[in-house]
Amino acid sequence: MRTFGIILLLWALALTTCHLQAQWGIEVNLTPNSMGGSWTTSNNARGMVCRGDTVFLVWHDFRASPRNYGCFLYFKYFDGQSWRPDTIIGVFYTTRFHNWNACCALNDNGVLHVVWESNDINYPDKGNYDIVYRYRQNNSWSAPIKLTTHPLYSWYPALVAGPGGRLDVFWQDNRDGTFRIYARTFDGNSWQSEYCLDTMCQAAALPSAASLSGRPAVAWQDFRTGISQIFFRAMGPGGWGADSAVSHSSSGAYSPCLIADGAGDLHLVWEDWRDGNSEIYYRRYSAANQRWGQEIRITNDPSYSRYPVLVSRGDSLIDIFWSDDRDGNYEIYTIQCLQGVWGPEQRLTYQSAFSLGPSVAADYRGNLHLVWADQRGDPGFAPNIFYNKFLASPAGIEAGADRQHISEIRIFPNPTFGPVGISFYSQGLLGRKLELAIY
C-alpha cells in the first residue's frame, strides 16, 4: 500500500464551488418505543463497534420500568441496509433491578463480546453488582457468565480484544474498602482468575482499555495523590509495567477514553478541571519510543465539556467527540486531528434539550457511526438513542473512483473556511500514473 497526500490552500470563495459540505447524514431515533429512557454507555463509550458494513450497538433501556426503577440491556445492529429490531440480552429476574453500562468489542474472527454490570443477576440483593459477560457468534448469543462473585460493587467494565481469542476485562471494585481497578483475562481457552491491577489505587474509577502491540493497556481516574489524575498501565512481553500518572491537573482529571490507531500508537482524552471548568485534554503515546507526548487542551470555553470519546481512522486521523453546554444545554461537538494538525470544532446537534454520552465507531471505509442519548421531544428525563453517520468521501468521489485501487479518500477539515487537506489511500498503483482532479 502506498499513501499519497495533497494539501491545497483554498479560500472560502473557491470552497463554494468544490461542494465540500458537511457530510453528516440525517439523525435517526433508534429507540422511539422507550418510554422510560435509553442511555448509551457512560464509562468509555465503547457501546458500538463495526465490522465490514455491519454496526453493532448495545445500550441500557428503562422501557420495561418507565419510572426509571430498573433497566434491561439491549442490542441491535445495522446490516448495511437498515437497523434490525431490538434484542434484549441482559435481564434475569425482575424489571426493578439494573443491567447497564455495557462495553463491547469484536475479535479477529468477528465474534462480538459484551460485558456489563448487573445487580439483577443477584436478585434480591440489590446492593451487590457483578460483571456479566456474553458473546454473539453466528447470529446466536451465548449463555451469560458472571465474571465476578465478590459482594458489593463491581462497576463500569471495559473490554479489549487481543490476538488469539484473548480478552481482557477491567472494572472498578470496592471489595478492599476503596475502589480499585480489577481485571480478568480470557486466554483463548478459559477465563483466568481475577486480580487487582494496582494495590496503590485509591478511589479509582472508569477504566478504559486498548490494545498495545497485541497486549492490553488501560487508563483510569485515581485519587491516590489527593487529586484525581489519569493513570496508565500497559502490559509488555514480561507482564505489566509500572503505572504512572499521565495527567497533571491542579484541580482533577476524570473520565478517560483510550484507543489505539492503525500504527499501534495510543490516544487518550479526558475531562480536566485545571482551568476552572471541565475542558477536554488529549495526549498521544508513541509505541516506537514508549513515551507520551505533551498534554494538549482541546476545548476552550467558559462552560462544561464532558464525556469525551475518540476514534481512530487509519494511522493519521483522530476524531474526538464530547458533550458541551456552552449553548445553554449539552450538545454534541467534534474535532479532527490529521497528521498532528487540529481542525476547527464542529457542533453536531441543535436541540432544546440535552444531548449526552456520545459513542462512536469507524468502519473499514473510514465512515463514522455516532450515537448519543438525546432528550428532544420529551419533557421528562427519558432520552432516546439517536444515530448519525459521517461519510468519509464526498458524494460523487467514491462512486466515480476505481474501487479496485482507491480504498479511501479523506477531506480535512470538513467543513472549513481556510486551508483544506485532501488525502487518499491507494492499492495496486505502484509504477502506474495516477491523476486526482478537483472540480
Coordinates of all heavy atoms in Angstrom, one line a residue, residues 22-25 48-56 78 80-81 83 310-314 317-319 321 334 336 348 359-371 387-399 403 406-411 414 425:
A22 N -20.6 19.7 4.9 CA -20.6 18.7 5.9 C -21.2 17.4 5.5 O -22.3 17.4 4.8 CB -21.3 19.2 7.2
Q23 N -20.6 16.3 5.8 CA -21.1 15.0 5.3 C -21.8 14.2 6.3 O -22.0 13.0 6.1 CB -19.9 14.3 4.7 CG -19.2 15.0 3.6 CD -17.8 14.6 3.3 OE1 -17.3 13.7 4.1 NE2 -17.2 15.1 2.3
W24 N -22.3 14.8 7.4 CA -23.1 14.1 8.3 C -24.5 13.9 7.7 O -25.0 14.8 7.1 CB -23.2 14.9 9.7 CG -21.9 14.7 10.5 CD1 -20.9 15.6 10.5 CD2 -21.6 13.7 11.3 NE1 -19.9 15.2 11.3 CE2 -20.3 14.0 11.8 CE3 -22.2 12.5 11.7 CZ2 -19.6 13.1 12.7 CZ3 -21.5 11.6 12.5 CH2 -20.3 11.9 13.0
G25 N -25.1 12.8 8.0 CA -26.4 12.5 7.4 C -27.6 13.0 8.3 O -27.4 14.0 9.0
M48 N -20.5 0.7 20.8 CA -20.7 0.5 19.4 C -19.4 0.1 18.8 O -18.3 0.6 19.0 CB -21.3 1.7 18.8 CG -21.7 1.5 17.3 SD -22.7 2.9 16.8 CE -21.7 4.3 17.1
V49 N -19.5 -0.9 17.9 CA -18.3 -1.4 17.1 C -18.8 -1.7 15.7 O -20.0 -1.9 15.4 CB -17.6 -2.6 17.7 CG1 -16.9 -2.3 19.0 CG2 -18.6 -3.7 18.0
C50 N -17.8 -1.8 14.7 CA -18.1 -2.1 13.3 C -17.3 -3.2 12.8 O -16.2 -3.4 13.3 CB -17.8 -0.9 12.5 SG -18.8 0.6 12.8
R51 N -17.9 -4.0 11.9 CA -17.2 -5.0 11.1 C -17.8 -5.0 9.7 O -18.9 -5.3 9.5 CB -17.3 -6.4 11.8 CG -16.5 -7.4 11.0 CD -16.5 -8.8 11.7 NE -15.9 -9.8 11.0 CZ -14.6 -10.1 11.0 NH1 -13.8 -9.3 11.7 NH2 -14.0 -11.1 10.3
G52 N -16.9 -4.7 8.7 CA -17.5 -4.5 7.4 C -18.5 -3.5 7.3 O -18.3 -2.3 7.8
D53 N -19.7 -3.8 6.8 CA -20.8 -2.8 6.7 C -21.7 -2.9 7.9 O -22.8 -2.3 7.9 CB -21.6 -3.0 5.4 CG -20.8 -2.6 4.2 OD1 -20.0 -1.6 4.3 OD2 -20.8 -3.3 3.2
T54 N -21.4 -3.8 8.8 CA -22.3 -4.1 10.0 C -21.9 -3.2 11.2 O -20.7 -3.1 11.5 CB -22.3 -5.5 10.3 OG1 -22.6 -6.3 9.2 CG2 -23.3 -5.8 11.4
V55 N -22.9 -2.6 11.8 CA -22.6 -1.8 13.0 C -23.4 -2.4 14.2 O -24.6 -2.7 14.0 CB -23.1 -0.3 12.8 CG1 -22.8 0.5 14.0 CG2 -22.5 0.3 11.5
F56 N -22.7 -2.7 15.3 CA -23.3 -3.3 16.4 C -23.4 -2.3 17.5 O -22.5 -1.5 17.8 CB -22.4 -4.5 16.9 CG -22.2 -5.6 15.9 CD1 -21.0 -5.6 15.2 CD2 -23.2 -6.6 15.7 CE1 -20.8 -6.6 14.2 CE2 -22.9 -7.6 14.8 CZ -21.8 -7.6 14.0
F78 N -27.0 -2.8 12.6 CA -27.2 -2.3 11.2 C -26.6 -3.2 10.2 O -25.3 -3.5 10.3 CB -26.7 -0.8 11.1 CG -26.9 -0.2 9.7 CD1 -28.1 0.4 9.4 CD2 -25.9 -0.2 8.7 CE1 -28.4 0.9 8.2 CE2 -26.2 0.3 7.5 CZ -27.4 0.9 7.2
G80 N -26.1 -3.1 7.0 CA -25.6 -2.5 5.8 C -26.7 -1.8 5.0 O -26.5 -1.0 4.1
Q81 N -28.0 -2.2 5.3 CA -29.2 -1.6 4.7 C -30.1 -0.9 5.7 O -30.6 0.1 5.4 CB -29.9 -2.7 3.9 CG -29.1 -3.4 2.8 CD -28.7 -2.5 1.7 OE1 -29.5 -1.6 1.3 NE2 -27.6 -2.7 1.1
W83 N -31.4 -0.8 10.2 CA -31.3 -1.3 11.6 C -32.3 -2.4 11.8 O -33.5 -2.3 11.6 CB -31.5 -0.1 12.5 CG -30.4 0.9 12.6 CD1 -30.2 2.0 11.9 CD2 -29.2 0.7 13.4 NE1 -29.0 2.6 12.2 CE2 -28.4 1.8 13.2 CE3 -28.8 -0.3 14.3 CZ2 -27.1 2.0 13.8 CZ3 -27.5 -0.1 14.9 CH2 -26.7 1.0 14.7
L310 N -13.0 9.2 21.7 CA -12.3 9.4 20.4 C -12.3 8.1 19.6 O -12.4 7.0 20.2 CB -10.9 10.0 20.7 CG -9.8 9.1 21.2 CD1 -8.5 9.9 21.1 CD2 -10.1 8.7 22.7
V311 N -12.0 8.2 18.3 CA -11.9 7.1 17.4 C -10.8 7.4 16.4 O -10.5 8.5 16.1 CB -13.3 6.9 16.7 CG1 -13.6 8.0 15.8 CG2 -13.3 5.6 16.0
S312 N -10.1 6.3 16.0 CA -9.0 6.4 15.0 C -9.5 5.9 13.7 O -10.2 4.9 13.6 CB -7.8 5.6 15.5 OG -6.9 5.4 14.5
R313 N -9.1 6.6 12.6 CA -9.3 6.1 11.3 C -7.9 6.0 10.6 O -7.3 7.0 10.3 CB -10.2 7.0 10.5 CG -11.6 7.0 11.1 CD -12.6 7.8 10.2 NE -12.5 9.3 10.5 CZ -13.0 10.2 9.8 NH1 -13.7 9.9 8.6 NH2 -13.0 11.5 10.1
G314 N -7.4 4.8 10.5 CA -6.1 4.6 10.0 C -5.1 4.9 11.0 O -5.3 4.7 12.2
L317 N -5.5 9.9 11.4 CA -6.7 10.7 11.6 C -7.4 10.3 12.8 O -7.8 9.1 13.0 CB -7.7 10.5 10.4 CG -9.0 11.3 10.4 CD1 -8.7 12.8 10.5 CD2 -9.8 11.0 9.2
I318 N -7.6 11.3 13.7 CA -8.3 11.1 15.0 C -9.5 12.0 15.1 O -9.4 13.2 14.7 CB -7.3 11.4 16.2 CG1 -6.1 10.5 16.1 CG2 -8.0 11.2 17.6 CD1 -6.4 9.0 16.3
D319 N -10.6 11.5 15.6 CA -11.8 12.3 15.8 C -12.2 12.2 17.3 O -12.3 11.1 17.8 CB -13.0 11.7 15.0 CG -12.7 11.8 13.5 OD1 -12.1 10.9 12.9 OD2 -13.1 12.8 12.8
F321 N -15.1 13.4 20.2 CA -16.5 13.8 20.4 C -16.7 14.0 21.9 O -16.1 13.4 22.7 CB -17.5 12.7 19.9 CG -17.4 12.5 18.4 CD1 -16.4 11.6 17.9 CD2 -18.3 13.1 17.6 CE1 -16.3 11.4 16.5 CE2 -18.2 12.8 16.2 CZ -17.2 12.0 15.7
T334 N -17.5 17.9 18.0 CA -16.4 17.1 17.5 C -15.3 17.9 17.0 O -15.5 19.1 16.6 CB -16.9 16.1 16.4 OG1 -15.9 15.2 16.0 CG2 -17.4 16.9 15.1
Q336 N -11.3 17.1 14.7 CA -10.4 16.2 14.0 C -9.0 16.6 14.1 O -8.7 17.8 14.2 CB -10.8 16.1 12.5 CG -12.1 15.4 12.2 CD -12.3 15.2 10.7 OE1 -11.7 16.0 9.9 NE2 -13.1 14.3 10.3
L348 N -22.6 19.3 16.3 CA -23.3 18.4 15.6 C -24.8 18.3 15.9 O -25.6 17.9 15.0 CB -22.8 17.0 15.8 CG -21.3 16.7 15.4 CD1 -20.9 15.3 15.6 CD2 -21.1 17.1 13.9
S359 N -21.1 7.9 21.7 CA -20.3 6.7 21.5 C -20.1 6.6 20.0 O -21.0 6.8 19.2 CB -21.1 5.5 22.0 OG -20.3 4.3 21.9
V360 N -18.9 6.3 19.6 CA -18.6 6.4 18.1 C -17.7 5.2 17.7 O -17.0 4.6 18.5 CB -17.8 7.7 17.9 CG1 -16.5 7.7 18.6 CG2 -17.6 7.9 16.4
A361 N -17.9 4.8 16.4 CA -17.1 3.7 15.8 C -16.8 4.1 14.4 O -17.6 4.8 13.8 CB -17.8 2.4 15.9
A362 N -15.7 3.6 13.8 CA -15.4 3.8 12.4 C -15.4 2.5 11.7 O -14.9 1.5 12.2 CB -14.0 4.5 12.3
D363 N -15.9 2.5 10.5 CA -15.9 1.3 9.7 C -14.7 1.2 8.8 O -13.8 2.1 8.8 CB -17.2 1.1 8.9 CG -17.4 2.2 7.9 OD1 -16.5 2.8 7.4 OD2 -18.6 2.5 7.6
Y364 N -14.6 0.2 8.0 CA -13.4 0.0 7.2 C -13.2 1.0 6.1 O -12.1 1.2 5.5 CB -13.4 -1.4 6.6 CG -14.4 -1.6 5.5 CD1 -14.0 -1.7 4.2 CD2 -15.7 -1.8 5.8 CE1 -14.9 -1.9 3.1 CE2 -16.7 -2.0 4.8 CZ -16.3 -2.1 3.5 OH -17.2 -2.3 2.5
R365 N -14.3 1.7 5.7 CA -14.2 2.8 4.7 C -13.8 4.1 5.3 O -13.5 5.1 4.6 CB -15.5 2.9 4.0 CG -15.9 1.8 3.1 CD -17.1 2.2 2.3 NE -17.5 1.1 1.4 CZ -18.5 0.3 1.6 NH1 -19.2 0.3 2.8 NH2 -18.9 -0.7 0.7
G366 N -13.7 4.2 6.6 CA -13.4 5.4 7.3 C -14.7 6.2 7.6 O -14.6 7.4 8.1
N367 N -15.9 5.7 7.4 CA -17.1 6.3 7.8 C -17.2 6.3 9.3 O -16.8 5.3 9.9 CB -18.3 5.6 7.1 CG -18.3 5.7 5.6 OD1 -17.9 6.7 5.0 ND2 -18.6 4.6 5.0
L368 N -17.9 7.3 9.9 CA -18.1 7.3 11.3 C -19.5 7.0 11.6 O -20.4 7.5 10.9 CB -17.7 8.7 11.9 CG -16.2 9.1 11.8 CD1 -16.0 10.5 12.3 CD2 -15.4 8.1 12.6
H369 N -19.7 6.3 12.7 CA -21.1 6.0 13.2 C -21.2 6.5 14.6 O -20.4 6.1 15.5 CB -21.3 4.5 13.1 CG -21.2 3.9 11.7 ND1 -22.2 3.8 10.9 CD2 -20.0 3.5 11.1 CE1 -21.8 3.3 9.7 NE2 -20.5 3.1 9.8
L370 N -22.1 7.3 14.9 CA -22.2 8.1 16.2 C -23.6 7.9 16.8 O -24.6 8.0 16.1 CB -22.0 9.6 15.9 CG -22.2 10.5 17.1 CD1 -21.1 10.3 18.2 CD2 -22.2 11.9 16.7
V371 N -23.6 7.5 18.1 CA -24.9 7.5 18.8 C -24.7 8.3 20.1 O -23.6 8.6 20.6 CB -25.3 6.1 19.2 CG1 -25.7 5.3 18.0 CG2 -24.2 5.3 20.0
Y387 N -28.9 8.4 16.3 CA -27.8 7.9 15.5 C -27.6 8.8 14.3 O -28.5 9.4 13.7 CB -28.1 6.5 15.0 CG -27.2 6.0 13.8 CD1 -25.9 5.5 14.1 CD2 -27.6 6.1 12.5 CE1 -25.1 5.0 13.0 CE2 -26.8 5.7 11.5 CZ -25.6 5.1 11.7 OH -24.8 4.7 10.7
N388 N -26.3 9.0 13.9 CA -25.9 9.7 12.7 C -24.7 9.1 12.1 O -23.9 8.5 12.9 CB -25.7 11.2 13.0 CG -26.0 12.1 11.8 OD1 -26.0 11.6 10.6 ND2 -26.2 13.4 12.0
K389 N -24.5 9.3 10.8 CA -23.4 8.7 10.1 C -22.7 9.8 9.3 O -23.3 10.7 8.7 CB -23.9 7.6 9.1 CG -22.8 7.0 8.3 CD -23.4 5.9 7.4 CE -22.3 5.2 6.5 NZ -22.8 4.2 5.6
F390 N -21.3 9.7 9.4 CA -20.5 10.6 8.6 C -19.8 9.8 7.5 O -19.2 8.8 7.7 CB -19.4 11.2 9.5 CG -18.4 12.1 8.8 CD1 -18.7 13.5 8.7 CD2 -17.2 11.6 8.3 CE1 -17.9 14.3 8.0 CE2 -16.3 12.5 7.7 CZ -16.7 13.8 7.5
L391 N -20.0 10.3 6.2 CA -19.4 9.7 5.1 C -18.0 10.2 4.9 O -17.9 11.5 4.8 CB -20.3 9.9 3.8 CG -21.7 9.2 3.8 CD1 -22.5 9.6 2.6 CD2 -21.5 7.7 3.9
A392 N -17.1 9.4 4.8 CA -15.7 9.8 4.6 C -15.4 10.4 3.3 O -14.5 11.3 3.2 CB -14.7 8.6 4.8
S393 N -16.1 10.1 2.3 CA -15.9 10.6 0.9 C -17.1 11.5 0.5 O -18.2 11.1 0.7 CB -15.7 9.5 -0.1 OG -14.6 8.7 0.3
P394 N -16.8 12.6 -0.1 CA -18.0 13.4 -0.6 C -18.7 12.7 -1.7 O -18.2 11.8 -2.4 CB -17.3 14.7 -1.2 CG -15.9 14.7 -0.7 CD -15.6 13.2 -0.4
A395 N -20.0 13.1 -1.9 CA -20.8 12.4 -2.9 C -20.2 12.6 -4.3 O -19.7 13.7 -4.6 CB -22.2 13.1 -2.9
G396 N -20.1 11.6 -5.0 CA -19.5 11.6 -6.4 C -18.1 11.1 -6.5 O -17.7 10.5 -7.4
I397 N -17.3 11.3 -5.4 CA -15.9 10.9 -5.5 C -15.8 9.4 -5.4 O -15.2 8.7 -6.2 CB -15.0 11.6 -4.4 CG1 -14.9 13.0 -4.7 CG2 -13.7 10.9 -4.3 CD1 -14.1 13.8 -3.7
E398 N -16.5 8.8 -4.3 CA -16.4 7.4 -4.1 C -17.0 6.6 -5.3 O -16.5 5.6 -5.8 CB -17.1 7.0 -2.8 CG -16.9 5.5 -2.5 CD -17.5 5.2 -1.2 OE1 -17.1 5.8 -0.2 OE2 -18.4 4.3 -1.1
A399 N -18.2 7.2 -5.8 CA -18.9 6.5 -6.9 C -18.1 6.5 -8.2 O -18.1 5.6 -9.0 CB -20.2 7.1 -7.1
R403 N -12.8 1.3 -7.7 CA -12.9 0.6 -6.4 C -11.8 -0.4 -6.2 O -11.5 -0.8 -5.1 CB -14.2 0.0 -6.3 CG -15.4 1.0 -6.1 CD -16.7 0.3 -6.0 NE -17.8 1.3 -5.9 CZ -18.2 1.7 -4.7 NH1 -17.7 1.3 -3.6 NH2 -19.2 2.6 -4.7
I406 N -8.6 2.5 -5.4 CA -8.8 3.6 -4.4 C -9.6 3.0 -3.2 O -10.8 2.6 -3.4 CB -9.6 4.8 -5.0 CG1 -8.8 5.3 -6.2 CG2 -9.7 5.9 -4.0 CD1 -7.4 5.8 -5.9
S407 N -9.0 3.0 -2.1 CA -9.7 2.4 -0.9 C -10.3 3.5 0.0 O -11.2 3.2 0.7 CB -8.8 1.6 -0.1 OG -7.7 2.3 0.3
E408 N -9.8 4.7 -0.1 CA -10.3 5.7 0.8 C -9.9 7.1 0.4 O -8.7 7.3 0.0 CB -9.9 5.5 2.3 CG -10.5 6.4 3.3 CD -10.1 5.9 4.7 OE1 -10.3 4.7 5.0 OE2 -9.7 6.8 5.5
I409 N -10.8 8.1 0.5 CA -10.5 9.5 0.2 C -11.0 10.3 1.4 O -12.1 10.1 1.9 CB -11.1 10.0 -1.1 CG1 -10.6 9.2 -2.3 CG2 -10.9 11.5 -1.2 CD1 -11.3 9.7 -3.6
R410 N -10.1 11.2 1.9 CA -10.5 12.0 3.1 C -10.3 13.4 2.8 O -9.3 13.8 2.1 CB -9.6 11.6 4.3 CG -9.8 10.2 4.8 CD -8.8 9.9 5.9 NE -8.9 8.5 6.4 CZ -7.9 7.9 7.1 NH1 -6.8 8.5 7.3 NH2 -8.1 6.7 7.5
I411 N -11.2 14.3 3.3 CA -11.1 15.7 3.1 C -11.1 16.3 4.6 O -12.0 16.0 5.3 CB -12.2 16.3 2.3 CG1 -12.1 15.8 0.9 CG2 -12.2 17.8 2.4 CD1 -13.1 16.3 -0.1
N414 N -13.5 19.4 7.5 CA -14.7 19.5 6.7 C -15.9 19.7 7.6 O -16.2 18.7 8.4 CB -14.9 18.2 5.8 CG -16.1 18.4 4.9 OD1 -16.6 19.4 4.7 ND2 -16.5 17.2 4.3
Y425 N -5.8 6.9 0.0 CA -5.0 5.7 0.1 C -5.3 4.8 -1.1 O -6.4 4.7 -1.6 CB -5.4 4.9 1.4 CG -5.1 5.7 2.6 CD1 -5.9 6.7 3.1 CD2 -3.9 5.4 3.3 CE1 -5.6 7.4 4.2 CE2 -3.6 6.1 4.5 CZ -4.4 7.1 4.9 OH -4.1 7.8 6.0

